[in-house]
């Protein structure tokens, strides 16, 4: 039963993560709710190493030297399905919004 508890804890953690990413995409990234949820689920389910919090995405984008396509393909997977392509663009758009807000704050 221990492994059941561990699974439950992981599930809860992943739900919390999804909520924090969703909120982040809606409030800071200015995305629509459905898209934000979808994007958050995709990212958390993929369990990308080093991406544990929404802020990590902003940092990750910087490391890609503005190669947004490469970044979003890497983060969301490069399945060229409509939704993934759309997600890739929206992810970058959300992160750009966040960067712009930040720059305004620090300016």
């Amino acid at each position: 039963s221990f492994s059941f508890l561990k699974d439950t804890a992981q599930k809860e953690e992943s739900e919390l993560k999804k909520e924090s990413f969703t909120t982040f995409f809606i409030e800071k990234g200015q995305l629509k709710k459905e898209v934000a949820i979808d994007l958050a689920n995709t990212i958390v389910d993929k369990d990308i190493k080093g991406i544990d919090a929404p802020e990590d995405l902003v940092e990750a984008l910087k490391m890609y030297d503005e190669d947004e396509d490469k970044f979003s393909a890497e983060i969301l997977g490069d399945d060229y399905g409509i939704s993934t392509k759309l997600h890739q663009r929206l992810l970058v758009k959300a992160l750009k919004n966040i960067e712009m807000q930040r720059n305004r704050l620090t300016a």
Side-chain angles (χ1 to χ4, degrees):
S1 71
F2 178 68
S3 72
F4 169 74
L5 285 175
K6 205 176 79 177
D7 287 349
T8 309
Q10 274 173 332
K11 217 177 254 129
E12 277 173 23
E13 191 191 336
S14 118
E15 286 309 311
L16 286 172
K17 253 194 204 179
K18 285 175 184 176
E19 275 173 36
S20 74
F21 275 95
T22 302
T23 308
F24 178 78
F25 287 137
I26 294 171
E27 291 177 1
K28 298 197 172 152
Q30 297 159 0
L31 295 182
K32 289 198 178 77
K33 191 178 179 185
E34 305 76 62
V35 179
I37 290 171
D38 221 4
L39 210 48
N41 290 349
T42 307
I43 290 168
V44 175
D45 288 340
K46 280 196 67 179
D47 199 16
I48 307 153
K49 198 168 156 36
I51 307 289
D52 294 315
E55 293 297 328
D56 297 335
L57 285 169
V58 181
E59 292 308 308
L61 180 60
K62 287 182 194 154
M63 293 191 306
Y64 275 82
D65 274 350
E66 302 304 306
D67 188 348
E68 294 155 14
D69 288 341
K70 192 168 168 229
F71 163 77
S72 54
E74 191 92 358
I75 295 294
L76 296 175
D78 223 346
D79 153 17
Y80 280 87
I82 302 277
S83 70
T84 311
K85 260 299 169 218
L86 181 66
H87 281 155
Q88 290 180 4
R89 281 203 297 276
L90 287 166
L91 174 62
V92 168
K93 186 181 141 194
L95 295 174
K96 285 272 179 250
N97 287 342
I98 291 154
E99 272 303 285
M100 282 182 345
Q101 288 164 23
R102 250 205 218 128
N103 294 339
R104 251 182 254 131
L105 291 175
T106 52

